[in-house]
Amino acid sequence: MKNKIIVFCCCILIYGITHAQQFKGQMNIAAVPAPNMHYQEEYTFDKPVDPAKWNSQTAGMHVSFGSTDKLYFRTEVPDLDKQASTWKETGWKGERLNAQLLVWSPDTIQQVRLKCNDLKHSNGKVIGKNNIKVNMVRYVVSNYPYGVKDATCGESPYKNAYLMPDRFEAFDRFEIPGKTVRPIWISVDVPADAEAGIYSGDIEVLSEKSRSVLTIKLKIQNQVLPKPGEWKHRFDLWQNPWVVAWYNRIEPWSEEHKVMLEKHLKLYADAGGKFITTYAVHSPWSDNSYMIEGTMIEWIKQNNGAWKFDYKIFDEYVELAMKAGINDAITVYTLLPWGNRFRYMEEATGNYVYEVWPPESKEFKSFWHTFLTDLEKHLQQKGWFEKTYLGINENEMKQTLAAIKVVKEHPAKWKITYAGNWHTELDTLLDDYCFLYGNESNQQQVKARSARGATTTYYVCCNPPVPNNFVFSPPIEGRWISWYSAAFGYDGFLRWAYDAWPADPSRDARHTLWPAGDCFLVYPGGASGIRFEKLREGIVDFEKIRIIRALASKSTDKTVKNLLKQLDQHMKVFVPERAFDEKKIAKDVQKGNDLIEQLSDKLASNEMVFK
């Protein structure tokens, strides 16, 4: 993405050890080694932000439901209007419903654990406790404090380090040190064949010396959410499979690596992931990651000067992704690697050779016509050609147009996807166009693209500061992103990246160049987190909006027509949004969901049900 393709050389800059200061009441770290230092860090935590608040808390374990739209910090008494012992939620069959449970205490509590019980309908039907998942929310280190609106590409101007809750971790039991908080994420996957109605149950929070019981009340509506593989939202997270091998210190493309990749990709597939990221060039983004993206297609220059291509890794990765459930599109990056640098192997010596071929050059045209002919043949044999896109990231317009010209001159009807700012001259040349938020076309141009069968999405990266998916971003921004997609008329959302991990992502989300969490949304071991789940919630909202609008447009019921009109009117509040007040956008999303719930019930009462 723009400003992300930055050449940096030799070694990664070492951060100085900083003394933490309190910022807006967040938990800071007094001494944090650089993210690239490979030794056991010793974290020293500051004193609580407001000792008076902790001193006012009664002894023992405190438990309450909080909001999934905000973050709760490790040494702050939770900011709650009032403690809530009941979680009420409405959803569809097949939907995942999320809650955030907070456990805190002024004194140390041992052996905290949760016991989930079945959720029961009044008629005896049950949503079994096996459908309820609980995860401890772990804290990771950020280079920005919570909710800032001045994050930028490049090094952070903030010199402190901040703990942000994000990473999920399964648990049996845990300890709560005195004057600390532990968020717990609760997810209920409603079975697609559940009976509509009200389900009630409870969760017991136990410790060595206490027991708290909280209530769950779910209203399941008589509408069915399709499976993630059937969602229409075009969710595109760029993947780097080498990073999984690197982090786990195993041989790339070994059987052990592929087993890990299956679990790793399943998380993306279950969130509606549509695009498989593949690489036809080695290190397309200028060695800008802790583990660079390697080529999946080996280029071999034979002794007679002819080219040969090895698709082994490419095929293995595409097949792994498809097995996980990612089936809609394959993107092959890229005709324009940074610096126009290309690598191939000499058959005679076994050495790698690096060449610079500008897209206007005869060498570029000659090679890419040869390669595209071979690639087309291979894709046709595999049955993948129709779903394959040639990917181009943002480059100078002269180079971009030259590369596209080479593709268009090839006999095959290649599809091209491009991520970058809106440029009128690219519009009709691209089958899939992804704009950087804030550098977009207008809605009429998006509609025109849709009318001719082209797709359009948008993305955020290390900019803009908001909306975004940094570890310090208010979680509601992740959900808001897909409301914006639906309101603007986009087909989906793209993000670099799914998994471009820094050195120690499970504990330290910072990168030497970019805002914490910018480069990844999921964690090692196929672990999700708050940011990823909030993105998923928004994608579910996108699907429900699409389905409800389609059903309601066929209804003659006056109430339905009026509610649909209200929903359409409400969607307009998402388009001009630029201020990004956390509370306002949360209210906007909630109002939209209230209208969807009303429409869902009214349509179901008229026997207009999506199944």
Side-chain angles (χ1 to χ4, degrees):
M1 298 306 169
K2 188 175 183 181
N3 298 316
K4 195 173 283 282
I5 313 304
I6 303 171
V7 177
F8 63 94
C9 60
C10 299
C11 62
I12 300 171
L13 296 175
I14 298 178
Y15 282 89
I17 296 176
T18 59
H19 182 74
Q21 299 175 356
Q22 296 171 359
F23 184 97
K24 292 186 179 178
Q26 292 169 138
M27 181 63 185
N28 296 341
I29 294 180
V32 181
N36 57 320
M37 290 184 177
H38 298 286
Y39 56 81
Q40 180 67 36
E41 291 101 334
E42 293 294 334
Y43 293 140
T44 304
F45 299 115
D46 284 352
K47 295 179 180 179
V49 172
D50 189 347
K53 285 188 176 181
W54 280 111
N55 293 337
S56 68
Q57 297 288 300
T58 57
M61 184 173 67
H62 294 254
V63 181
S64 176
F65 286 110
S67 169
T68 63
D69 291 337
K70 62 185 295 185
L71 300 182
Y72 297 91
F73 301 104
R74 193 174 187 275
T75 57
E76 283 187 337
V77 176
D79 181 17
L80 302 169
D81 294 333
K82 59 181 180 179
Q83 292 189 30
S85 60
T86 300
W87 169 40
K88 295 181 179 180
E89 188 62 273
T90 300
W92 288 12
K93 303 172 187 181
E95 185 174 354
R96 176 178 300 166
L97 303 176
N98 298 315
Q100 189 164 202
L101 178 65
L102 305 172
V103 185
W104 71 98
S105 175
D107 39 64
T108 298
I109 304 293
Q110 304 285 351
Q111 298 194 55
V112 179
R113 54 203 185 275
L114 269 64
K115 181 182 177 183
C116 300
N117 298 304
D118 293 341
L119 306 178
K120 298 179 181 179
H121 193 289
S122 58
N123 65 7
K125 298 292 184 180
V126 169
I127 295 177
K129 60 186 177 183
N130 58 302
N131 293 286
I132 305 174
K133 300 293 187 295
V134 295
N135 280 286
M136 180 189 305
V137 180
R138 286 291 193 182
Y139 290 81
V140 294
V141 183
S142 170
N143 52 4
Y144 284 87
Y146 179 64
V148 299
K149 294 181 171 60
D150 62 349
T152 182
C153 301
E155 291 188 48
S156 168
Y158 295 86
K159 299 307 177 185
N160 297 332
Y162 309 89
L163 281 182
M164 297 292 155
D166 187 50
R167 178 173 64 86
F168 290 175
E169 183 177 294
F171 68 96
D172 174 60
R173 61 194 67 205
F174 56 86
E175 174 189 285
I176 298 180
K179 297 183 176 62
T180 65
V181 179
R182 174 62 66 198
I184 299 171
W185 195 267
I186 302 173
S187 295
V188 179
D189 286 313
V190 181
D193 60 355
E195 187 169 319
I198 306 295
Y199 290 80
S200 299
D202 57 50
I203 290 181
E204 300 174 62
V205 184
L206 308 165
S207 71
E208 276 186 339
K209 298 179 180 180
S210 63
R211 172 178 177 269
S212 297
V213 179
L214 293 92
T215 302
I216 299 176
K217 288 189 176 181
L218 303 183
K219 176 184 176 182
I220 306 306
Q221 297 179 295
N222 195 25
Q223 302 288 350
V224 182
L225 184 71
K227 295 178 181 178
E230 299 169 5
W231 296 350
K232 303 302 181 185
H233 181 281
R234 292 172 70 84
F235 192 29
D236 186 3
L237 299 179
W238 291 7
Q239 308 119 52
N240 178 356
W242 284 269
V243 79
V244 176
W246 167 71
Y247 180 84
N248 291 285
R249 294 173 174 81
I250 58 176
E251 181 183 351
W253 309 109
S254 63
E255 289 305 310
E256 186 179 7
H257 182 208
K258 286 184 276 190
V259 168
M260 288 184 173
L261 282 174
E262 285 187 45
K263 182 178 181 181
H264 183 69
L265 289 169
K266 192 69 168 63
L267 193 63
Y268 175 43
D270 287 346
K274 293 290 184 282
F275 286 78
I276 304 169
T277 309
T278 68
Y279 302 93
V281 300
H282 182 76
S283 188
W285 317 133
S286 184
D287 306 344
N288 69 338
S289 300
Y290 279 74
M291 169 49 62
I292 62 174
E293 298 86 348
T295 184
M296 293 179 175
I297 304 171
E298 194 73 74
W299 303 356
I300 304 165
K301 196 167 190 179
Q302 300 177 93
N303 296 334
N304 61 3
W307 291 100
K308 181 172 68 175
F309 304 99
D310 183 348
Y311 296 97
K312 181 178 183 294
I313 294 174
F314 176 86
D315 290 349
E316 287 182 352
Y317 186 67
V318 171
E319 287 163 2
L320 274 171
M322 288 183 173
K323 182 181 178 181
I326 310 161
N327 290 301
D328 283 43
I330 302 166
T331 308
V332 180
Y333 290 105
T334 175
L335 282 87
L336 293 177
W338 188 253
N340 300 315
R341 182 186 65 174
F342 296 94
R343 188 191 82 172
Y344 63 86
M345 180 184 288
E346 281 186 328
E347 185 179 54
T349 65
N351 294 331
Y352 283 118
V353 176
Y354 290 86
E355 301 274 8
V356 174
W357 298 332
E360 305 90 344
S361 67
K362 63 180 182 181
E363 292 87 357
F364 181 96
K365 182 176 181 179
S366 173
F367 173 82
W368 278 96
H369 272 271
T370 299
F371 175 55
L372 290 179
T373 298
D374 198 80
L375 179 60
E376 180 203 4
K377 179 182 177 182
H378 183 77
L379 292 170
Q380 292 285 12
Q381 289 173 344
K382 302 293 289 187
W384 298 340
F385 181 76
E386 295 302 322
K387 62 178 65 178
T388 297
Y389 292 78
L390 300 178
I392 302 177
N393 196 24
E394 187 168 21
N395 279 270
E396 292 181 11
M397 186 52 53
K398 180 181 177 182
Q399 293 195 336
T400 299
L401 290 171
I404 291 174
K405 181 180 178 182
V406 170
V407 175
K408 296 295 184 182
E409 288 173 349
H410 191 266
K413 293 184 178 180
W414 290 98
K415 289 188 285 189
I416 302 174
T417 181
Y418 176 88
N421 293 346
W422 162 251
H423 300 284
T424 304
E425 55 267 53
L426 292 180
D427 184 21
T428 58
L429 299 175
L430 302 173
D431 302 272
D432 183 73
Y433 201 157
C434 184
F435 309 137
L436 175 62
Y437 178 82
N439 291 278
E440 305 150 88
S441 73
N442 58 44
Q443 288 176 274
Q444 288 68 36
Q445 288 160 326
V446 172
K447 288 180 180 178
R449 287 183 55 78
S450 180
R452 63 174 183 264
T455 51
T456 316
T457 61
Y458 82 104
Y459 72 92
V460 298
C461 56
C462 57
N463 67 89
V466 292
N468 220 301
N469 315 102
F470 306 131
V471 295
F472 54 86
S473 299
I476 186 59
E477 289 182 19
R479 189 169 189 176
W480 183 94
I481 277 171
S482 289
W483 281 85
Y484 182 75
S485 294
F488 205 92
Y490 286 130
D491 296 292
F493 175 72
L494 177 151
R495 190 73 168 80
W496 187 89
Y498 183 57
D499 51 12
W501 294 328
D504 189 10
S506 292
R507 293 184 299 172
D508 194 337
R510 294 172 300 173
H511 194 284
T512 54
L513 291 175
W514 302 306
D518 174 39
C519 304
F520 67 98
L521 285 163
V522 299
Y523 291 88
S528 187
I530 291 176
R531 294 178 297 145
F532 192 72
E533 292 302 315
K534 294 304 288 188
L535 260 179
R536 190 185 189 279
E537 281 184 358
I539 294 169
V540 169
D541 293 340
F542 180 100
E543 291 300 305
K544 291 169 77 171
I545 292 167
R546 175 184 64 81
I547 291 167
I548 285 296
R549 278 176 160 170
L551 289 174
S553 66
K554 300 174 184 177
S555 175
T556 58
D557 187 294
K558 290 183 179 180
T559 302
V560 170
K561 286 185 173 297
N562 180 53
L563 286 169
L564 180 60
K565 184 178 180 181
Q566 290 182 52
L567 177 62
D568 289 341
Q569 184 63 32
H570 179 66
M571 296 300 290
K572 295 178 181 179
V573 306
F574 295 94
V575 176
E577 184 67 67
R578 288 293 183 269
F580 276 91
D581 174 77
E582 181 181 348
K583 292 182 179 179
K584 179 186 180 301
I585 64 173
K587 288 179 180 178
D588 289 342
V589 170
Q590 184 57 56
K591 182 177 178 180
N593 272 296
D594 289 343
L595 289 167
I596 290 174
E597 289 174 13
Q598 293 177 59
L599 276 162
S600 298
D601 279 339
K602 189 60 182 175
L603 287 163
S605 71
N606 292 337
E607 298 185 351
M608 298 187 72
V609 176
F610 187 86
K611 298 181 179 180

